[in-house]
Amino acid sequence: QVQLVESGGGLVQAGGSLRLSCAASGSISSINAMGWYRQAPGKERELVATTTSGGSTAYADSVKGRFTISRDNGKKTVYLQMNNLVPEDTAVYYCNANLRRGSSSSWFNYWGQGTQVTVSS
């Protein structure tokens, strides 16, 4: 059983910071890309940031310069440091990982349960 467990969401004032964490556990043999997505009420889920196992990163234009994604491969954990938050960042944030389970050679996509981030003006 593979799980992605997120933590670190909450309520913050505009201009504040939050750090999200997502730890993968279970029978995992390797992890390729890990990333963060978000979904605001009435909107589709959108990519926030991703990082590969080699350390390459990509960001949505709306968060460039404010958010930083990082990962600890040994801990199978991905982080999202969010600075200078604005009300438009309010959403449920989901962790995503593309990984191999056990002895399988296939890649699977897993999602966390989501963590709420609310930015007040």
Side-chain angles (χ1 to χ4, degrees), residues 40-79:
K43 295 187 177 181
E44 293 187 353
R45 191 172 297 189
E46 63 175 1
L47 172 69
V48 176
T50 61
T51 179
T52 67
S53 56
S56 298
T57 59
Y59 296 91
D61 287 343
S62 59
V63 307
K64 283 180 181 176
R66 300 188 297 122
F67 291 10
T68 302
I69 189 170
S70 61
R71 64 192 277 176
D72 184 328
N73 290 327
K75 294 182 178 179
K76 299 185 180 66
T77 299
V78 64
Y79 306 96

